Amino acid sequence: MTDMIALEQLTKNYPGQARPAVDKLDLTIPEGEIVILVGPSGCGKTTTLKMINRIIEPSSGIIRLQGEDVTRADPDELRRRIGYVIQQVGLFPHQTIGRNIAAVPRLLGWSRQRIADRLDELLHLVGMDPATYLGRYPKELSGGQRQRIGVARALAADPPVMLMDEPFGALDPISRERLQNEFLRLQGQIGKTIVFVTHDIDEAIKMGDRIAILREGSTVAQYDTPETVLAAPADDFVKEFIGSGASLKGLGLARVREVSLADWPTSQISAGREAARRALDSSDHGWVLLLDEQRRPVRWVEARALQGEGSLDRVGLEVRAIVEPTATLVGALESMLGSRVGVVVVVDGSGAFLGTIDMRVIMSAVEVMRAAAHKRVLDDRRRVRAGQEPPANAIAAQ
Amino acid sequence: MSDRTLVGDVPPHGEDEAFLGNDDALALVGGTDPTRGTRQPGSRSMSVAVKARRYLGFPAVLALVCVAVGTYVARADLDDVERRLLTFDRIIDATLVHLQLVGISTLAVIVLAVPLGILVTRPAATRLTPVVVALGNLGQTVPSLGVIVLFAILFAPGFKGAVFALVVYAFLPILRNTIVGLQQIDPFLIESARGMGMSNGTVLRSIELPLAVPVILAGVRTAAVINVGTATIGAFTNAGGLGGIIFGGIVQSRTPVIVVGSILTAVLALLLDHVLGVVEEVLRPRGL
Ligand SMILES: Nc1ncnc2c1ncn2[C@@H]1O[C@H](COP(=O)(O)OP(=O)(O)OP(=O)(O)O)[C@@H](O)[C@H]1O
Ligand SMILES: [Mg+2]
């Protein structure tokens, strides 16, 4: 497999910026693959991408396209060989869809007939009806349709390379998912070399043949297939980054009954102070939970408050953070944050103690959800790539 | 004052249409029928009758005003001085001269200010923009009579000097609207145009200028209408035009003459405003 793009020691210093936005980046992009640049905001993804077509001129380093050093080539010539799709799409509002798509072919001096044929072909490719859409203006399309036209326009002159900067970033989740799937199918037909920027790790896993996880200064933390990145993250930065997706959303869906609860030292109020002291001593927690005759949680007590004699009815703190197994983990987390002890007590329908939820329980639930989510994205991607979903045209033009 | 006249202009037909990013004008002209897919460029779905009413209604009203003025002049009990000042030939001649003053000066400003506006908005020259706008402002803040007298002294009194003065006076609206029109374009449009390999010249010609046209034309319209009023002052330096009639009325203390001259000036300003509004509408790129 040959390299379509090679970046060698590529560097960008913005004037007045202490540190380079891109710092001596070495990266090769194999022909026919989708390479995703992913990383936290401001790490230099966009700067890196825009140096490839020299919208941003590199401060130093070399860009090779198909082996040829294009660092000092005529930028206009270079750009006609590279498709470019941005999040804002950038369709020209005063030109029809047909005219928009024909922009590069016209620059290249194609004949009318050739352009007309190509327009038809491209609209079919992105699943839109040429007769309906070619004469329309951009504002007469939906956001998803505009983005499809943006992709068609970038493909117009059949460039070997496509650069895409968060192309689906401005779409709602449903349209984004649909366009991602369509795009993967499309790529199955056209086999372009694609550099794709996103900050969404799930999108990276789904769309990428390879993922370059970047940290500040566009330094490569790991450059590998999605499977490898997930199975063997190179370091803590990568580990943390691939865990960053959608945790809160998952916590809102998961129920308390689905997690394994943490145990906690308890003692019956009626058993007296001595029993409570023993329960506390035999654990490594600082608080003991006092239960009434029906095993309902009543008070939190520290060792200090257990000294001396007398009834336990009024010592310690009232137990406020109590949830039932049907509560969501977000609900449990909220109660936990409002509790002095940092623990939520879980009770059954009759109010009897079942166990507790602390930060560790939440974290391990998040771990499980992440693993499941990544598996789902990988499965999804496999399915889409194997073409096991309805053809693009069936759902495309809504 | 200049902000209102530059950017918040009212079109001749009375719809409250701001000229930036407003779809109403297009909706009225082009219709918003979502099924049209194969319409020819330039074909507009509005019926001829509606169009005629829209474009010709207001001029018809102005024509009625002129007829009323004409009838008054013909029928009213005017003395000899008034009769001499208000002959048909004098009125026609003054109107034509007035139109020439306005037309020549406005065209000259377009030829000068639009390229200058383009020049100062190029990335290499953005630091020049405030300086140039400040100079343009200077022309406008000096009282118009002052400018006209100054130019009459500097150049020749009469027609030529007045044209020069009007050029200075109308420069800012067109310059500023050219600059604003170019600067308000979404930078992502320019980026994507550059990103597909268009040269700077091509981007200017096929993206930036068409998108700036509505704003530039609004500036032209403002400038031209201001000039109709300002040109009357040219009479003080013997430039002719409708100001000559008004001035004559003042010198001879003949109120009817002053009123007729003023009404005709106002009619001319309103007509020009309407015509340029129509031009704006026709030249506004479709799809905006
Ligand atoms: N024109 C500029 N002038 C100065 N600094 C810039 C410029 N563009 C970007 N930067 C800086 O360079 C760094 C990288 O920016 P870049 O846009 O490449 O980040 P990114 O990874 O694309 O971030 P995001 O995910 O938010 O889009 C940032 O610190 C940014 O502030
Ligand atoms: Mg970015």
Side-chain angles (χ1 to χ4, degrees), chain B residues 145-170:
Chain B
L145 182 58
V147 176
I148 285 185
V149 172
L150 182 73
F151 275 75
I153 297 168
L154 282 181
F155 300 98
F159 190 84
K160 221 164 103 188
V163 167
F164 275 113
L166 291 177
V167 166
V168 171
Y169 210 62

Side-chain angles (χ1 to χ4, degrees), chain B residues 52-223:
Chain B
R53 197 155 5 111
R54 199 170 145 71
Y55 290 157
L56 299 180
F58 187 65
V61 172
L62 293 179
L64 281 181
V65 172
C66 290
V67 168
V69 169
T71 313
Y72 167 78
V73 170
R75 296 272 175 83
D77 186 17
L78 301 177
D79 64 24
D80 282 351
V81 176
E82 288 165 350
R83 288 251 167 262
R84 193 163 42 73
L85 288 174
L86 287 179
T87 63
F88 186 70
D89 283 353
R90 276 187 66 107
I91 290 176
I92 292 295
D93 183 57
T95 307
L96 288 179
V97 171
H98 206 94
L99 273 176
Q100 281 170 16
L101 279 172
V102 172
I104 293 174
S105 60
T106 307
L107 282 179
V109 176
I110 293 174
V111 169
L112 296 172
V114 172
L116 185 62
I118 292 171
L119 209 66
V120 298
T121 50
R122 297 307 90 196
T126 40
R127 259 176 302 163
L128 276 177
T129 320
V131 181
V132 173
V133 172
L135 284 178
N137 260 325
L138 204 67
Q140 267 226 329
T141 42
V142 177
S144 39
L145 182 58
V147 176
I148 285 185
V149 172
L150 182 73
F151 275 75
I153 297 168
L154 282 181
F155 300 98
F159 190 84
K160 221 164 103 188
V163 167
F164 275 113
L166 291 177
V167 166
V168 171
Y169 210 62
F171 206 79
L172 182 71
I174 297 182
L175 173 68
R176 191 193 277 180
N177 274 37
T178 304
I179 293 174
V180 169
L182 289 169
Q183 282 178 341
Q184 48 98 28
I185 296 171
D186 194 338
F188 294 114
L189 292 180
I190 294 169
E191 183 185 319
S192 68
R194 298 288 289 140
M196 60 180 66
M198 286 189 195
S199 65
N200 282 323
T202 311
V203 175
L204 177 65
R205 222 170 342 100
S206 61
I207 310 295
E208 293 182 82
L209 283 179
L211 290 175
V213 153
V215 186
I216 296 176
L217 285 181
V220 169
R221 185 169 154 201
T222 306

Side-chain angles (χ1 to χ4, degrees), chain A residues 45-226:
Chain A
K45 306 179 291 291
T46 297
T47 306
T48 303
L49 189 81
K50 288 184 182 175
M51 282 196 286
I52 299 177
N53 65 357
R54 294 182 38 216
I55 291 280
I56 294 175
E57 287 288 353
S59 309
S60 62
I62 292 175
I63 307 153
R64 285 184 205 285
L65 186 66
Q66 295 169 305
E68 169 197 345
D69 182 351
V70 293
T71 322
R72 259 159 287 280
D74 175 5
D76 292 340
E77 296 267 315
L78 173 67
R79 290 173 192 147
R80 292 171 199 175
R81 292 158 62 190
I82 301 178
Y84 187 47
V85 183
I86 55 179
Q87 182 180 334
Q88 300 80 2
V89 197
L91 295 183
F92 307 132
H94 61 301
Q95 296 182 354
T96 61
I97 299 309
R99 181 89 185 219
N100 263 283
I101 301 178
V104 179
R106 284 160 53 97
L107 288 172
L108 294 172
W110 288 17
S111 72
R112 259 167 195 282
Q113 189 54 48
R114 187 170 173 207
I115 292 178
D117 292 345
R118 182 67 179 155
L119 287 179
D120 262 20
E121 187 183 343
L122 283 164
L123 277 214
H124 284 304
L125 203 59
V126 297
M128 288 169 70
D129 174 36
T132 312
Y133 291 104
L134 279 180
R136 288 209 190 171
Y137 286 88
K139 74 163 185 188
E140 299 165 343
L141 302 186
S142 74
Q145 289 170 338
R146 263 177 242 167
Q147 198 51 272
R148 286 189 189 91
I149 296 301
V151 171
R153 181 171 71 168
L155 285 170
D158 208 13
V161 173
M162 298 255 281
L163 306 180
M164 310 178 82
D165 192 354
E166 307 206 24
F168 310 134
L171 301 175
D172 62 275
I174 294 173
S175 311
R176 181 184 319 151
E177 163 105 31
R178 180 184 288 168
L179 256 76
Q180 286 171 343
N181 293 348
E182 272 176 42
F183 188 75
L184 284 176
R185 270 183 232 108
L186 182 62
Q187 167 68 354
Q189 300 171 46
I190 57 181
K192 299 287 176 197
T193 306
I194 294 165
V195 188
F196 186 115
V197 165
T198 178
H199 57 250
D200 175 1
I201 183 68
D202 289 338
E203 185 170 60
I205 295 169
K206 177 165 180 180
M207 304 298 288
D209 293 308
R210 273 160 211 262
I211 305 180
I213 298 177
L214 304 177
R215 58 176 119 228
E216 197 165 332
S218 220
T219 320
V220 180
Q222 187 166 11
Y223 184 34
D224 225 318
T225 61

